[in-house]
Amino acid sequence: MKIWIGLGLMWAAISGQATAQLPARVSEMLRISNMPETALGVAVIRLADGKLVWSQYPSQSMQPASTIKVLTAIVGLDKLGPAYRSRTEISTSAPIVGDQLNGDLVIRGEGNTDISWEDFSRMLQAVRQSGIREIRGNVVIDRTFFNPSRLDIGVPPFDETPEFRYNVIPDALLINMNLAQFDIASTDNALTVRLTPQLSGVKVISNMSLIARACEKWEEGWKRPTTVYADDGEIRVHLEGEFPQNCAITTNLNVIDRAEYTSRLFRNLWTTLGGAHTGRIIEAPPPSTLTATIPTAESPVGTRRVLAEHRARPLAEVSRNINKVSDNAITRMVFLTLGARADATVVADKDGSLDVPTIVKGEQVVRKWLQSQQIDDADVVLDNGSGLSRRERISPKQLAAVLAAAHRSKWAPEFLSSLPIVAVDGSMRSRLKDSPAAETARIKTGGLRNVVSVAGYVTNVAGEVHAVVGMVNHDRAALAGGRAILDALLDEVARSNATPVLTK
């Protein structure tokens, strides 16, 4: 009971401060930026007593960009546990006669955040080592751990570069993040492209013009590739735009439909391993329509045999990809896994239906966690948990309360270790090197075209630890020095002595 009362008093202390002043330097920088005061939202709370130290529009609902990842990360650690490992398996319920599998082989994903094409190759090698050479049934690609199994279908591109990794929309069986590696090299008058991994029936065609430009600026002439699915079954990827002369780069692109990517990768790897396949490669239907020949993780014990398995790193390690690396696809996959692993209290919709989209269940899990921490979620807008969204919103005080709750969590050490260290690593590695915050503060950053943001922990010279959240929402957020304003805020907190508690 004392814990709940304490949480309630902390939230009351945070939410009760509506208009508190900023450090003078921060206020002056905002003034000369010519952005309105409402463009900046700030909440700085002292964790020892939950008191608000500095703030500006702390209750304003704002776009957090990638700082919302701290919420997904701590809920993932609390609900799934730091040792949770997502997985991929290959199984069958068909008989093996000699070196022939007389039935279907099922490749099932359960939100594996780490499976590379090399890992997939090793799984298929394990299948071969089990004695199977020829598959006489179908190869079933099972993505049904998430509902729907393909969240990418019909979704408009987030921006003009949907081919790059940060824009990948996950599914439950996302081998190599559906990325193909393009090694592009040029001389004065010739360009070569190598594709890895090898995908059966995929051809890369360069339509790029060679120009005199610094190699490090190769992206300036880049245009979105076009992919053609030809009637003869060949897939042709056309590289467009300009490319520097005498340059060599490696880039990873999501330019092939994932059903085609998975099936063509399987064909190439299985053939390379000496295997044969006489059936089709098909996508598994929704669970309600699965036939008896397609085993799932929920099949009765003894009806299927697991031939190969791959497990991701523990979630405590994956969380570093969420916060230090700011990997959108991995964050979204954890958000979806929260829904897929949700207990029965969150699976039904308002009409009592059990056919609830996994992403909706994930949101329900996050909201229940917020409520369990006595954090008001009324104005929180959740989309995919990564911040790569035009919709997601949260107020500075709500996100500061999330940080305060994370600091109290039994998994606080794992969460803290996932955050970028100022002047050391992640997106903060080259910032505030001359500040007292250097090597001590742990800060998640965020950025969109109209957003710059920070969220994390700063210890001041008196040894007081603060949860600090700052968000700049404005069309000129980046151009008008939004990042410098937030750096000044972090620096001022770090340089402050024993901070007074602001009055209402």
Side-chain angles (χ1 to χ4, degrees):
M1 179 63 70
K2 290 181 179 179
I3 294 176
W4 290 108
I5 293 173
L7 290 173
L9 288 174
M10 178 172 284
W11 177 249
I14 298 169
S15 60
Q17 305 290 340
T19 55
Q21 291 184 349
L22 292 172
R25 177 161 63 117
V26 177
S27 294
E28 178 61 14
M29 290 177 70
L30 179 60
R31 185 189 66 78
I32 64 176
S33 74
N34 290 320
M35 290 187 291
E37 284 189 356
T38 54
L40 176 63
V42 170
V44 180
I45 64 171
R46 187 168 54 205
L47 294 184
D49 54 13
K51 299 297 185 180
L52 194 68
V53 175
W54 281 309
S55 74
Q56 174 150 302
Y57 299 101
S59 301
Q60 182 172 245
S61 180
M62 305 184 75
Q63 280 187 269
S66 283
T67 56
I68 197 69
K69 287 182 170 76
V70 301
L71 175 58
T72 301
I74 188 56
V75 178
L77 288 169
D78 270 2
K79 304 303 291 186
L80 299 172
Y84 177 81
R85 300 175 69 185
S86 51
R87 62 194 291 273
T88 303
E89 71 169 30
I90 301 178
S91 67
T92 187
S93 58
I96 302 173
V97 180
D99 64 358
Q100 297 173 345
L101 177 66
N102 292 330
D104 294 347
L105 186 78
V106 179
I107 303 171
R108 176 177 170 81
E110 295 184 357
N112 192 330
T113 56
D114 283 341
I115 183 166
S116 66
W117 72 267
E118 295 97 335
D119 294 324
F120 186 52
S121 178
R122 284 187 284 270
M123 291 181 71
L124 293 178
Q125 186 173 24
V127 175
R128 283 286 287 117
Q129 291 171 346
S130 73
I132 297 172
R133 181 188 63 82
E134 182 179 359
I135 303 167
R136 291 196 162 187
N138 294 325
V139 173
V140 181
I141 307 301
D142 186 355
R143 308 178 197 271
T144 61
F145 185 66
F146 296 156
N147 173 36
S149 58
R150 289 284 301 270
L151 288 88
D152 61 307
I153 294 177
V155 177
F158 181 77
D159 57 24
E160 69 278 5
T161 55
E163 69 271 21
F164 289 118
R165 178 183 174 122
Y166 74 92
N167 266 321
V168 171
I169 298 173
D171 65 55
L173 182 64
L174 197 61
I175 297 172
N176 214 58
M177 289 292 167
N178 207 61
L179 297 171
Q181 178 178 306
F182 290 74
D183 295 303
I184 308 174
S186 67
T187 61
D188 282 334
N189 52 20
L191 185 144
T192 59
V193 183
R194 185 178 66 181
L195 181 68
T196 307
Q198 293 297 311
L199 301 171
S200 298
V202 175
K203 182 179 181 181
V204 180
I205 301 169
S206 172
N207 300 323
M208 303 184 83
S209 302
L210 292 176
I211 63 167
R213 176 181 289 153
C215 190
E216 61 268 21
K217 296 182 179 180
W218 69 270
E219 289 187 43
E220 291 184 4
W222 182 263
K223 291 185 179 180
R224 181 179 174 181
T226 57
T227 304
V228 177
Y229 298 87
D231 292 339
D232 61 5
E234 186 175 72
I235 297 176
R236 299 165 192 147
V237 180
H238 295 260
L239 300 184
E240 312 287 352
E242 300 170 337
F243 193 78
Q245 295 170 314
N246 302 304
C247 179
I249 63 97
T250 295
T251 187
N252 293 283
L253 304 176
N254 173 29
V255 291
I256 301 170
D257 177 81
R258 62 196 59 191
E260 291 289 351
Y261 181 100
T262 307
S263 64
R264 289 168 189 259
L265 178 62
F266 170 82
R267 287 193 190 102
N268 182 72
L269 294 176
W270 187 244
T271 301
T272 301
L273 290 167
H277 177 218
T278 57
R280 296 182 300 147
I281 301 176
I282 63 174
E283 294 278 323
S288 59
T289 60
L290 286 174
T291 67
T293 62
I294 302 177
T296 69
E298 290 74 33
S299 298
V301 175
T303 64
R304 68 187 182 97
R305 297 183 300 285
V306 176
L307 303 173
E309 180 185 63
H310 177 270
R311 289 185 176 269
R313 294 164 296 149
L315 184 57
E317 295 180 32
V318 172
S319 294
R320 297 189 179 191
N321 287 80
I322 294 176
N323 287 328
K324 284 187 185 290
V325 181
S326 203
D327 191 300
N328 293 313
I330 286 178
T331 307
R332 296 173 73 162
M333 202 172 291
V334 171
F335 190 87
L336 287 162
T337 299
L338 287 168
R341 294 293 186 194
D343 61 39
T345 62
V346 297
V347 297
D349 65 13
K350 294 180 180 178
D351 299 323
S353 170
L354 297 179
D355 188 26
V356 181
T358 304
I359 198 164
V360 173
K361 293 195 288 183
E363 177 179 348
Q364 291 173 352
V365 171
V366 173
R367 289 191 182 279
K368 283 180 176 289
W369 183 90
L370 288 170
Q371 293 161 11
S372 74
Q373 302 298 320
Q374 303 294 291
I375 300 172
D376 181 13
D377 69 325
D379 296 322
V380 175
V381 179
L382 297 172
D383 189 357
N384 55 48
S386 76
L388 190 70
S389 167
R390 312 290 184 203
R391 295 181 57 250
E392 277 183 320
R393 291 188 175 275
I394 194 169
S395 72
K397 75 178 183 184
Q398 287 168 323
L399 199 54
V402 168
L403 290 169
H407 204 266
R408 297 189 302 269
S409 169
K410 60 185 176 182
W411 307 126
E414 287 74 17
F415 177 75
L416 285 166
S417 69
S418 76
L419 295 171
I421 305 170
V422 170
V424 174
D425 66 6
S427 55
M428 291 298 301
R429 63 185 174 277
S430 56
R431 293 168 67 172
L432 293 171
K433 288 185 176 291
D434 297 323
S435 169
E439 301 183 0
T440 60
R442 292 179 176 268
I443 301 295
K444 179 74 191 81
T445 64
L448 293 171
R449 287 177 179 170
N450 62 326
V451 181
V452 291
S453 54
V454 292
Y457 304 101
V458 179
T459 302
N460 69 2
V461 296
E464 300 172 330
V465 182
H466 299 78
V468 181
V469 175
M471 303 177 193
V472 181
N473 283 192
H474 192 270
D475 288 342
R476 298 179 62 250
L479 296 175
R483 193 174 89 163
I485 292 172
L486 297 180
D487 279 358
L489 173 67
L490 298 173
D491 183 58
E492 287 292 327
V493 176
R495 292 183 186 279
S496 65
N497 209 316
T499 49
V501 176
L502 298 172
T503 58
K504 295 182 181 179

